[in-house]
Amino acid sequence: MVASTRQYSRFGHKLGAWVRSVLLYIIVIITSVIAFFPLYWMCVTSMLSRGHIFVFPPAFLPPRLSLASFAEIMEARPLLLWFGNTLLVTVSAAVLALFVSTFGAYSLSRFRYRGRLTIITLNLITQMLPAPLLVIPLYVIFRDFHLLDTYVGLIAAYTTFTLPLCIWTLKGFFDSVPVEIEEAAMIDGCSHIGALFHIVLPLSLPGLAATTLFALITGWNEFILPVTLINSQSKWVMGVGLSSFIGEYLISWNQIAAAAIVMVLPIVVAFAFLQQYLIGGLASGGLKG
């Protein structure tokens, strides 16, 4: 009797674990489908002709697919020029924001001085202000300094909007690095700058990767700043160029989808490249803990 009860208990435990695993897989599959379906539908739309886009009911596996939309947008619009402008401005702003935020976050994390809490508070308050509220004052300042319709002005604007959260993110990672490790390095003759580059930054690779991704994604998807500060079509970025596909009487959805795929691909590649540093850094941190 006791043996049969134990066997029944083991069977119930295994059955419960199997049911939980099945439910977990079902939830993961449903969530993945919901997350990736817009990207899939964008790819399908980009390869459809204009007459097949609004067919009802929609075909989730359309029989006719073509790359004509990609050829059309390359011929009709200077897409490669806009892509190069976006790459130049976004990467430059991300590198500048990462460089400045590294020293700013290290200062807020390691040093105690008058006005430190005020800087931290103002740093958070800037994230609460909507971008349209700051665009007009920024436009006036850039106009007075002759930075309108220039790459330098756009890079400075991107850096200004990206910097506060970059500082806050890196500060959290720097706070997690034990101060004793830096003190031991300083005893051996290392300076604060040396400890930052040789001790803190290598231990904060997940934070650097996350901050870099944030800066890249924010700059790559920005629309309000470039549409306000840039007038010349030759200096447009991808976001502004993408909006130009919306005409007064006609919207070429297949061309918009094709241009959106071209715009999304670099961010996907950047995430795929930096993902190993995110996962590897978090895993090593868990093992050390």
Side-chain angles (χ1 to χ4, degrees):
M1 185 68 180
V2 175
S4 61
T5 303
R6 290 179 179 176
Q7 291 178 357
Y8 179 79
S9 177
R10 292 176 182 174
F11 175 76
H13 179 72
K14 292 180 179 179
L15 180 62
W18 182 81
V19 171
R20 287 193 296 270
S21 299
V22 171
L23 290 177
L24 180 61
Y25 278 112
I26 291 175
I27 293 174
V28 170
I29 292 173
I30 293 175
T31 305
S32 301
V33 170
I34 294 175
F36 286 100
F37 181 77
L39 184 61
Y40 165 77
W41 194 247
M42 182 175 66
C43 295
V44 172
T45 303
S46 67
M47 292 184 285
L48 288 175
S49 62
R50 188 177 302 172
H52 291 85
I53 294 178
F54 297 103
V55 176
F56 186 84
F60 294 100
L61 293 174
R64 297 179 181 178
L65 296 177
S66 174
L67 298 178
S69 299
F70 293 91
E72 291 174 0
I73 62 175
M74 292 296 180
E75 295 176 358
R77 310 294 172 92
L79 201 66
L80 294 180
L81 177 62
W82 297 342
F83 184 88
N85 294 340
T86 309
L87 190 65
L88 171 65
V89 174
T90 302
V91 173
S92 300
V95 171
L96 183 59
L98 189 65
F99 178 78
V100 177
S101 62
T102 297
F103 291 99
Y106 185 74
S107 172
L108 295 174
S109 174
R110 288 296 186 262
F111 301 104
R112 301 294 181 267
Y113 47 85
R114 182 178 299 178
R116 173 178 171 273
L117 295 178
T118 304
I119 294 175
I120 295 176
T121 304
L122 292 176
N123 191 58
L124 289 177
I125 291 177
T126 55
Q127 297 301 301
M128 303 177 186
L129 301 176
L133 182 65
L134 304 175
V135 165
I136 296 178
L138 197 65
Y139 180 89
V140 174
I141 294 173
F142 279 35
R143 182 198 61 191
D144 295 339
F145 283 92
H146 304 287
L147 292 175
L148 292 178
D149 202 25
T150 62
Y151 293 123
V152 175
L154 196 57
I155 291 172
Y158 277 24
T159 306
T160 301
F161 277 77
T162 309
L163 195 58
L165 192 56
C166 289
I167 292 176
W168 187 255
T169 303
L170 284 179
K171 179 183 177 300
F173 279 91
F174 290 168
D175 289 341
S176 63
V177 177
V179 183
E180 292 76 12
I181 301 179
E182 294 180 63
E183 293 176 348
M186 291 178 187
I187 292 176
D188 293 335
C190 194
S191 62
H192 280 290
I193 299 297
L196 171 63
F197 283 98
H198 294 94
I199 305 296
V200 179
L201 291 183
L203 295 176
S204 303
L205 282 180
L208 294 174
T211 305
T212 304
L213 275 177
F214 165 75
L216 290 175
I217 293 174
T218 302
W220 198 267
N221 296 330
E222 184 59 49
F223 176 77
I224 295 179
L225 291 176
V227 80
T228 304
L229 303 177
I230 298 297
N231 299 322
S232 303
Q233 185 176 356
S234 60
K235 296 180 181 179
W236 279 2
V237 296
M238 286 293 294
V240 181
L242 195 63
S243 66
S244 68
F245 286 92
I246 302 176
E248 184 177 0
Y249 302 105
L250 179 66
I251 300 178
S252 301
W253 292 108
N254 53 345
Q255 294 184 2
I256 291 178
I261 290 176
V262 176
M263 182 177 178
V264 166
L265 281 178
I267 294 299
V268 175
V269 173
F271 182 82
F273 175 75
L274 294 175
Q275 184 183 18
Q276 57 180 334
Y277 297 101
L278 283 169
I279 297 176
L282 292 174
S284 63
L287 292 174
K288 291 177 182 178

